[in-house]
Amino acid sequence: MRILIILLCFLFFTTSGFCDEGEEAAETEYLPLDSKLIVNLQGRKHYLRAEIQLMVAGSENADRIRIHIPGIRHALIMFFSSYTHVQLSALEERKGLQKKALEEIRATLDKYSQSDGLKDVLFTEFLVQ
């Protein structure tokens, strides 16, 4: 009788949607840009060094986006090089930088393929000198 109750509980929890959160989390992948991004900033003798990862929905999207990493790196280098070290040191500017970088990456992906599945861009290292 206990085995039957345990089996029924197991079937109920696996079919009732309680496992959906784990399945969604398993579908999210983090795609690192190959190496640290180092960019000369506007002005004299200042640079940005950043490590960036892309949050992507599902392995199919990750595989499609991975092909375009050189184009994404180029777009980000051009994007960041338009900033000065003073701008990147300001807290207000850094808050909007993630959103603007995500827009740049989406535009690049849409140019070469499609940006479907790109959820977010994360700065895992960010140094301005």
Short mmCIF file of all heavy atoms in Angstrom, two decimals, residues 11-33:
data_model
loop_
_atom_site.label_atom_id
_atom_site.label_comp_id
_atom_site.label_asym_id
_atom_site.label_seq_id
_atom_site.Cartn_x
_atom_site.Cartn_y
_atom_site.Cartn_z
N LEU A 11 3.96 10.29 -9.49
CA LEU A 11 3.30 10.58 -10.76
C LEU A 11 2.60 11.94 -10.72
O LEU A 11 2.62 12.69 -11.69
CB LEU A 11 2.30 9.48 -11.11
CG LEU A 11 2.91 8.14 -11.51
CD1 LEU A 11 1.81 7.09 -11.68
CD2 LEU A 11 3.70 8.29 -12.80
N PHE A 12 1.98 12.26 -9.59
CA PHE A 12 1.28 13.53 -9.47
C PHE A 12 2.24 14.71 -9.58
O PHE A 12 2.02 15.65 -10.32
CB PHE A 12 0.52 13.61 -8.14
CG PHE A 12 -0.06 14.97 -7.87
CD1 PHE A 12 -1.19 15.40 -8.55
CD2 PHE A 12 0.55 15.84 -6.97
CE1 PHE A 12 -1.72 16.65 -8.32
CE2 PHE A 12 0.02 17.10 -6.73
CZ PHE A 12 -1.12 17.50 -7.41
N PHE A 13 3.37 14.66 -8.86
CA PHE A 13 4.31 15.77 -8.85
C PHE A 13 5.04 15.92 -10.18
O PHE A 13 5.37 17.02 -10.59
CB PHE A 13 5.32 15.64 -7.71
CG PHE A 13 4.72 16.00 -6.38
CD1 PHE A 13 4.54 15.06 -5.40
CD2 PHE A 13 4.33 17.31 -6.14
CE1 PHE A 13 3.98 15.40 -4.18
CE2 PHE A 13 3.77 17.66 -4.92
CZ PHE A 13 3.60 16.70 -3.94
N THR A 14 5.31 14.83 -10.88
CA THR A 14 6.03 14.95 -12.15
C THR A 14 5.11 15.37 -13.29
O THR A 14 5.58 15.96 -14.26
CB THR A 14 6.73 13.63 -12.53
OG1 THR A 14 5.76 12.59 -12.57
CG2 THR A 14 7.83 13.32 -11.55
N THR A 15 3.84 15.15 -13.21
CA THR A 15 2.93 15.53 -14.29
C THR A 15 2.14 16.79 -14.00
O THR A 15 1.49 17.32 -14.89
CB THR A 15 1.91 14.39 -14.58
OG1 THR A 15 1.16 14.12 -13.40
CG2 THR A 15 2.62 13.16 -15.07
N SER A 16 2.22 17.32 -12.79
CA SER A 16 1.40 18.47 -12.43
C SER A 16 2.07 19.81 -12.70
O SER A 16 1.49 20.84 -12.46
CB SER A 16 1.01 18.40 -10.95
OG SER A 16 2.18 18.49 -10.17
N GLY A 17 3.29 19.81 -13.21
CA GLY A 17 3.95 21.06 -13.53
C GLY A 17 4.91 21.55 -12.47
O GLY A 17 5.51 22.59 -12.62
N PHE A 18 5.05 20.80 -11.37
CA PHE A 18 5.98 21.24 -10.33
C PHE A 18 7.43 21.13 -10.80
O PHE A 18 8.30 21.75 -10.25
CB PHE A 18 5.80 20.40 -9.05
CG PHE A 18 4.56 20.78 -8.30
CD1 PHE A 18 3.47 19.94 -8.27
CD2 PHE A 18 4.47 21.99 -7.64
CE1 PHE A 18 2.33 20.28 -7.58
CE2 PHE A 18 3.34 22.35 -6.96
CZ PHE A 18 2.25 21.49 -6.92
N CYS A 19 7.70 20.38 -11.84
CA CYS A 19 9.06 20.21 -12.33
C CYS A 19 9.40 21.21 -13.43
O CYS A 19 10.50 21.20 -13.93
CB CYS A 19 9.26 18.79 -12.86
SG CYS A 19 9.10 17.54 -11.58
N ASP A 20 8.47 22.04 -13.82
CA ASP A 20 8.70 22.96 -14.92
C ASP A 20 9.82 23.94 -14.63
O ASP A 20 10.58 24.29 -15.53
CB ASP A 20 7.42 23.75 -15.26
CG ASP A 20 6.38 22.86 -15.92
OD1 ASP A 20 6.76 21.76 -16.36
OD2 ASP A 20 5.21 23.27 -15.98
N GLU A 21 9.98 24.42 -13.40
CA GLU A 21 11.03 25.38 -13.09
C GLU A 21 12.40 24.77 -13.33
O GLU A 21 13.27 25.42 -13.88
CB GLU A 21 10.93 25.84 -11.64
CG GLU A 21 9.80 26.82 -11.42
CD GLU A 21 9.75 27.30 -9.98
OE1 GLU A 21 10.82 27.35 -9.34
OE2 GLU A 21 8.66 27.62 -9.52
N GLY A 22 12.61 23.54 -12.94
CA GLY A 22 13.88 22.87 -13.16
C GLY A 22 14.16 22.68 -14.64
O GLY A 22 15.28 22.80 -15.10
N GLU A 23 13.12 22.38 -15.41
CA GLU A 23 13.28 22.21 -16.84
C GLU A 23 13.64 23.54 -17.49
O GLU A 23 14.49 23.59 -18.37
CB GLU A 23 12.00 21.64 -17.45
CG GLU A 23 11.74 20.20 -17.05
CD GLU A 23 10.37 19.71 -17.48
OE1 GLU A 23 9.69 20.43 -18.24
OE2 GLU A 23 9.97 18.62 -17.07
N GLU A 24 13.02 24.64 -17.05
CA GLU A 24 13.35 25.95 -17.61
C GLU A 24 14.78 26.34 -17.28
O GLU A 24 15.50 26.86 -18.11
CB GLU A 24 12.40 27.02 -17.08
CG GLU A 24 11.05 27.00 -17.75
CD GLU A 24 10.15 28.12 -17.23
OE1 GLU A 24 10.68 29.15 -16.77
OE2 GLU A 24 8.94 27.95 -17.30
N ALA A 25 15.20 26.07 -16.05
CA ALA A 25 16.56 26.40 -15.65
C ALA A 25 17.57 25.57 -16.45
O ALA A 25 18.63 26.06 -16.80
CB ALA A 25 16.75 26.17 -14.16
N ALA A 26 17.21 24.33 -16.74
CA ALA A 26 18.11 23.48 -17.51
C ALA A 26 18.23 23.96 -18.95
O ALA A 26 19.22 23.71 -19.61
CB ALA A 26 17.62 22.04 -17.47
N GLU A 27 17.24 24.69 -19.45
CA GLU A 27 17.27 25.17 -20.82
C GLU A 27 18.10 26.44 -20.97
O GLU A 27 18.44 26.81 -22.08
CB GLU A 27 15.84 25.43 -21.31
CG GLU A 27 15.04 24.16 -21.49
CD GLU A 27 13.62 24.44 -21.94
OE1 GLU A 27 13.33 25.57 -22.35
OE2 GLU A 27 12.82 23.53 -21.89
N THR A 28 18.43 27.11 -19.90
CA THR A 28 19.24 28.31 -19.97
C THR A 28 20.71 27.93 -20.02
O THR A 28 21.18 27.13 -19.22
CB THR A 28 18.99 29.22 -18.76
OG1 THR A 28 17.62 29.62 -18.77
CG2 THR A 28 19.86 30.44 -18.79
N GLU A 29 21.43 28.51 -20.98
CA GLU A 29 22.87 28.27 -21.10
C GLU A 29 23.59 29.60 -21.02
O GLU A 29 23.07 30.63 -21.42
CB GLU A 29 23.20 27.60 -22.42
CG GLU A 29 22.74 26.17 -22.51
CD GLU A 29 23.35 25.43 -23.68
OE1 GLU A 29 24.48 25.79 -24.09
OE2 GLU A 29 22.71 24.50 -24.17
N TYR A 30 24.80 29.56 -20.49
CA TYR A 30 25.65 30.73 -20.44
C TYR A 30 26.77 30.52 -21.45
O TYR A 30 27.52 29.57 -21.36
CB TYR A 30 26.20 30.96 -19.04
CG TYR A 30 25.11 31.34 -18.08
CD1 TYR A 30 24.44 30.37 -17.34
CD2 TYR A 30 24.71 32.66 -17.96
CE1 TYR A 30 23.42 30.71 -16.48
CE2 TYR A 30 23.68 33.01 -17.11
CZ TYR A 30 23.04 32.03 -16.37
OH TYR A 30 22.02 32.38 -15.53
N LEU A 31 26.83 31.43 -22.39
CA LEU A 31 27.78 31.32 -23.48
C LEU A 31 28.85 32.40 -23.31
O LEU A 31 28.59 33.59 -23.52
CB LEU A 31 27.02 31.51 -24.80
CG LEU A 31 27.75 31.35 -26.10
CD1 LEU A 31 28.30 29.94 -26.24
CD2 LEU A 31 26.81 31.64 -27.25
N PRO A 32 30.07 32.01 -22.90
CA PRO A 32 31.12 33.02 -22.72
C PRO A 32 31.68 33.47 -24.06
O PRO A 32 31.80 32.67 -24.98
CB PRO A 32 32.18 32.29 -21.89
CG PRO A 32 31.98 30.85 -22.22
CD PRO A 32 30.52 30.67 -22.53
N LEU A 33 32.01 34.75 -24.15
CA LEU A 33 32.78 35.20 -25.30
C LEU A 33 34.17 34.62 -25.12
O LEU A 33 34.68 34.56 -24.01
CB LEU A 33 32.80 36.72 -25.39
CG LEU A 33 31.45 37.40 -25.57
CD1 LEU A 33 31.62 38.88 -25.80
CD2 LEU A 33 30.65 36.79 -26.71
#
